[in-house]
């Protein structure tokens, strides 16, 4: 083992500039979209004032700083601190079940806390902790992971965050955790026998949720996708408004500021349905541009997983890929009426300070795997 006090030769800190630029571009676009909503008449329907875009701007700046700081930290050292950040994260999540927890207006889950006047969603922080802890678990146990007991322990590890957010009623985040778990597990040396059994397990889990967890309202959200226009309670009205907003933008859109009097109101327009606002503001061309940037982010994270210096770095990147890909797929599918309304924000674009900072932090983890492929810094020694 090298001495912790031995000074290593300083080397250039390399980051994935393209990835960092893409996520920041999305964050800027999202802030501008929220600003346009706050400046228009539709803001009166839900009270979307200037504080919303102020929060988004501050969160973007904080997130960028966090991403840069985390990129300098060797991810191999960071995961070894799991016994510190994992209990702290669980503690924050546990607060949602106390008097500090509450259900945000327009949301289905009881997954928010307010501390000293500041609101936050602990499940977003739990995504960071899970990617780190599960990556370390896979890395340490990959050689034995196909043994039944070891696989059982991995499954239990994955079920912890999934179970917590399900109890909160946040089924969208539960699906995101399932996707993160699945992508990371498949990227490891898993036996084909488990992969063959996966469809049966998933089918059983879906059946259990359908008959034991989902209420009639959530079931109806799913059923209307197969029979649009047959909902007597008009549950699909939000998606219908979202599609109308996108269609109203035409090819080039109404304009970010010039067409504010013509904006169509959609509930949660600044948050889960912000892609609908992007459609009416930027039109088909602008919406396609956003999709291309988001696709680039997902593919770049996946590409960085292929060049990580070790399996641990690959697992971290694949966890991040699973998160971003699932968020994009579910959010845009929800707006386009191809998926149920389930409350999953569009990465770096939807309003939400906790989500913005946490996703930037995850980008920082990806940057750490990228920059530490073969680089040692003076303030982090190596003991491999």
């Amino acid at each position: 083992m090298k001495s912790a006090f031995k000074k290593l030769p300083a080397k250039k800190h390399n980051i994935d500039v393209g990835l960092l630029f893409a996520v920041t571009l999305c964050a800027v676009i999202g802030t501008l979209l929220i600003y346009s909503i706050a400046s228009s008449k539709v803001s009166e329907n839900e009270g979307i004032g200037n504080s919303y875009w102020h929060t988004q701007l501050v969160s973007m700046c904080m997130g960028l700083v966090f991403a840069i700081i985390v990129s300098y930290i060797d991810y191999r050292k960071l995961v070894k601190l799991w016994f510190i950040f994992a209990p702290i994260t669980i503690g924050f999540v546990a607060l949602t079940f106390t008097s500090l927890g509450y259900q945000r207006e327009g949301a289905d889950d009881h997954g928010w806390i307010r501390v000293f006047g500041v609101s936050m969603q602990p499940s977003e922080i739990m995504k960071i902790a899970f990617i780190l802890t599960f990556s370390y678990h896979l890395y340490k146990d990959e050689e034995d992971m196909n043994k039944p007991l070891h696989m059982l322990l991995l499954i239990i590890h994955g079920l912890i965050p999934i179970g917590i957010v399900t109890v909160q009623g946040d089924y969208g985040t539960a699906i995101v955790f399932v996707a993160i778990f699945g992508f990371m597990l498949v990227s490891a040396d898993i036996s084909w026998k488990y992969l063959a059994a996966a469809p049966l397990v998933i089918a059983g889990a879906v059946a259990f949720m359908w008959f034991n967890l989902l209420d009639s309202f959530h079931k109806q959200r799913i059923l209307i996708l197969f029979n649009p226009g047959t909902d007597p309670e008009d549950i699909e009205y939000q998606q219908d408004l979202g599609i109308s907003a996108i269609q109203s933008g035409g090819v080039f859109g109404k304009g970010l500021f010039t067409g504010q009097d013509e904006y169509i109101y959609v509930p949660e327009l600044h948050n889960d349905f912000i892609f609908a606002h992007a459609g009416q503001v930027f039109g088909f061309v602008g919406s396609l541009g956003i999709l291309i940037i988001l696709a680039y982010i997902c593919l770049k994270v996946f590409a960085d997983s292929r060049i990580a210096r070790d399996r641990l770095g690959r697992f971290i990147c694949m966890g991040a890929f699973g998160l971003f890909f699932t968020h994009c797929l579910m959010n845009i599918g929800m707006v386009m009426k191809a998926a149920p309304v389930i409350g999953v924000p569009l990465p770096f674009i939807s309003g939400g300070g906790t989500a913005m900072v946490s996703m930037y932090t995850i980008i920082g983890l990806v940057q750490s795997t990228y920059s530490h492929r073969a680089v040692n810094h003076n303030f982090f020694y190596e003991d491999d």
Side-chain angles (χ1 to χ4, degrees), residues 22-50:
V23 298
T24 302
L25 179 58
C26 281
V28 170
I29 292 172
T31 303
L32 288 174
L33 287 171
I34 296 173
Y35 176 79
S36 71
I37 295 172
S39 304
S40 68
K41 293 180 179 179
V42 298
S43 65
E44 300 173 0
N45 291 279
E46 289 189 346
I48 308 301
N50 289 328

Side-chain angles (χ1 to χ4, degrees), residues 16-325:
D16 191 333
V17 178
L19 177 60
L20 193 60
F21 176 78
V23 298
T24 302
L25 179 58
C26 281
V28 170
I29 292 172
T31 303
L32 288 174
L33 287 171
I34 296 173
Y35 176 79
S36 71
I37 295 172
S39 304
S40 68
K41 293 180 179 179
V42 298
S43 65
E44 300 173 0
N45 291 279
E46 289 189 346
I48 308 301
N50 289 328
S51 61
Y52 282 78
W53 73 265
H54 290 166
T55 298
Q56 197 75 351
L57 181 61
V58 171
S59 300
M60 178 185 71
C61 295
M62 288 180 57
L64 182 58
V65 171
F66 276 36
I68 293 174
I69 292 175
V70 172
S71 73
Y72 274 92
I73 303 175
D74 192 332
Y75 62 94
R76 292 165 295 174
K77 308 300 176 183
L78 187 59
V79 295
K80 294 178 181 178
L81 300 177
W82 65 268
F83 60 91
I84 297 177
F85 59 77
I88 292 175
T89 301
I90 295 297
F92 272 112
V93 175
L95 291 177
T96 62
F97 299 100
T98 68
S99 59
L100 295 176
Y102 70 98
Q103 182 172 333
R104 185 180 63 84
E105 185 177 354
D108 296 331
D109 62 292
H110 196 274
W112 294 75
I113 60 173
R114 184 179 288 109
V115 182
F116 301 117
V118 178
S119 298
M120 63 179 297
Q121 191 175 13
S123 61
E124 294 294 334
I125 303 174
M126 190 162 58
K127 292 173 184 175
I128 305 172
F130 178 68
I131 288 175
L132 287 172
T133 57
F134 196 62
S135 294
Y136 193 45
H137 192 166
L138 277 175
Y139 178 67
K140 299 294 287 186
D141 207 34
E142 188 173 17
E143 291 185 2
D144 298 315
M145 64 176 291
N146 290 310
K147 297 178 181 178
L149 178 59
H150 291 261
M151 179 57 66
L152 177 62
L153 292 175
L154 287 169
I155 292 174
I156 292 174
H157 191 155
L159 287 176
I160 291 174
I162 296 170
I164 290 174
V165 295
T166 299
V167 171
Q168 289 177 338
D170 191 352
Y171 301 122
T173 300
I175 293 175
V176 172
F177 273 113
V178 170
I180 295 172
F181 172 78
F183 276 106
M184 294 176 71
L185 202 60
V186 170
S187 67
D189 190 19
I190 186 173
S191 170
W192 66 269
K193 297 178 182 178
Y194 291 111
L195 294 177
L200 296 176
V201 174
I202 294 174
V206 170
F208 176 82
M209 289 190 64
W210 184 266
F211 292 108
N212 297 279
L213 296 179
L214 298 182
D215 55 31
S216 59
F217 179 76
H218 290 102
K219 291 179 181 178
Q220 193 63 37
R221 281 182 173 179
I222 298 173
L223 292 175
I224 59 173
L225 298 176
F226 303 97
N227 298 284
T230 61
D231 174 29
E233 299 179 14
D234 203 21
I235 292 176
E236 57 187 322
Y237 84 101
Q238 187 178 14
Q239 290 174 303
D240 290 337
L241 287 174
I243 293 175
S244 296
I246 293 174
Q247 292 174 339
S248 70
V251 178
F252 298 107
K254 300 173 182 177
L256 193 59
F257 304 109
T258 57
Q260 290 180 343
D261 292 337
E262 302 175 9
Y263 289 166
I264 294 177
Y265 166 70
V266 183
E268 296 297 317
L269 187 62
H270 69 292
N271 194 353
D272 296 338
F273 274 75
I274 200 164
F275 188 71
H277 186 54
Q280 65 179 333
V281 168
F282 299 130
F284 173 79
V285 174
S287 299
L288 181 61
I290 290 175
L291 291 177
I292 291 173
I293 298 172
L294 291 172
Y296 173 82
I297 292 172
C298 292
L299 292 175
K300 202 71 176 70
V301 171
F302 182 82
D304 286 346
S305 75
R306 311 304 297 176
I307 60 175
R309 68 175 293 172
D310 56 18
R311 304 286 288 177
L312 177 61
R314 172 174 291 190
F315 295 149
I316 290 174
C317 290
M318 286 304 297
F321 171 77
L323 183 147
F324 294 131
F325 175 77

